[in-house]
Amino acid sequence: MSERKALFDDWAATYDATLKDTAGFPFEGHERVLAEVVGKAGVGIEATVLDVGTGTGALAARLAVLDCRVLGVDLSEKMLARARQKVPAADFRQLDLLGDWGDLETCRFDAVVSAYVLHEFDVPSKVDILTRFAKLLEPGGRVVVGDISFETALARDAARQRWREVWDEGEYYWVAEHAVPALHSVGLSVHYHQLSFCAGVYVLQPQ
Ligand SMILES: C[S@@+](CC[C@H](N)C(=O)[O-])C[C@H]1O[C@@H](n2cnc3c(N)ncnc32)[C@H](O)[C@@H]1O
């Protein structure tokens, strides 16, 4: 079992409790991020939505309320077990974003959404993964990503200093001024919206 999978399996039982108090870094604005991701996905009844890194199903639950047809994927079986309990109307399957996506590559969705996952990956990996997400879209569809993110490197560095006790140097928190041009360069249009001091939402479409 990979170290990363073990980490998220261990977190699954307490993950929802972690989000009861989201003041400060890294989860400040978490609820607003989830609401904005769902809103910007622009989906309604019967829309097909892929929720990547679904965890315990926080986004999947909001999308199921809208009567979307949701497929949630995640590395962690234990996170998925909780998501299945929370959102019986959705489908869930185990998938490592860094591995083989199997027949998912041939599926098409009206929207691909993801919250608090892609900060695990450096900018080239983010760009690669988001390019692959964009290929899964039906015409007119969108990729919407909410995550730990800063408008500028300056803002990121100020937060790193202020929150050094909980800052994880092994993660790649988004910096919009770096990510947006990198995503443009592979043919994705990007709109970025900062929602709290440490969180923002990216809306992407093929150009
Ligand atoms: C912080 S949780 C976010 C869960 C949920 N999206 C939310 O907003 O509450 C990150 C999730 O990403 C998943 N994850 C991390 N690395 C992954 C990978 N390589 N492939 C698929 N999922 C991954 C973890 O298992 C975990 O459930």
Side-chain angles (χ1 to χ4, degrees):
M1 184 164 55
S2 78
E3 211 174 290
R4 195 187 303 246
K5 181 173 182 301
L7 189 143
F8 285 109
D9 276 346
D10 286 350
W11 197 7
T14 56
Y15 182 74
D16 285 354
T18 310
L19 296 172
K20 289 253 164 6
D21 176 10
T22 56
F25 184 83
F27 283 118
E28 186 145 319
H30 180 256
E31 279 292 320
R32 270 183 294 144
V33 168
L34 298 185
E36 177 104 349
V37 169
V38 171
K40 293 291 183 198
V43 288
I45 297 173
E46 296 286 302
T48 51
V49 186
L50 176 66
D51 176 16
V52 183
T54 190
T56 59
L59 274 179
R62 284 164 175 78
L63 291 159
V65 167
L66 299 178
D67 286 328
C68 296
R69 286 157 44 203
V70 184
L71 173 62
V73 296
D74 201 282
L75 178 65
S76 160
E77 293 287 6
K78 293 207 171 156
M79 289 280 189
L80 287 170
R82 289 185 180 262
R84 286 188 184 102
Q85 276 186 339
K86 191 187 288 178
V87 200
D91 288 326
F92 295 97
R93 71 162 89 154
Q94 203 266 345
L95 179 128
D96 182 353
L97 275 174
L98 298 179
D100 180 4
W101 293 13
D103 67 358
L104 188 68
E105 304 268 17
T106 62
C107 297
R108 293 295 173 266
F109 299 91
D110 296 305
V112 178
V113 299
S114 184
Y116 291 86
V117 179
L118 297 185
H119 64 268
E120 299 276 332
F121 311 112
D122 62 15
V123 172
S125 303
K126 284 183 178 75
V127 170
D128 179 51
I129 289 167
L130 288 166
T131 305
R132 290 171 80 188
F133 286 174
K135 289 188 178 143
L136 304 181
L137 291 174
E138 295 283 8
R142 292 175 199 169
V143 177
V144 188
V145 174
D147 206 346
I148 301 163
S149 180
F150 302 89
E151 196 105 49
T152 62
L154 207 62
R156 188 247 347 248
D157 292 344
R160 173 191 270 147
Q161 180 63 19
R162 162 72 180 81
W163 298 95
R164 56 188 173 279
E165 277 154 32
V166 285
W167 191 272
D168 185 341
E169 291 293 345
E171 309 224 308
Y172 302 91
Y173 304 126
W174 293 76
V175 173
E177 69 178 353
H178 298 159
V180 170
L183 291 163
H184 280 158
S185 75
V186 294
L188 293 170
S189 80
V190 190
H191 177 265
Y192 178 68
H193 180 198
Q194 190 75 38
L195 279 179
S196 78
F197 81 91
C198 63
V201 170
Y202 296 79
V203 181
L204 300 102
Q205 285 189 294
Q207 272 168 354

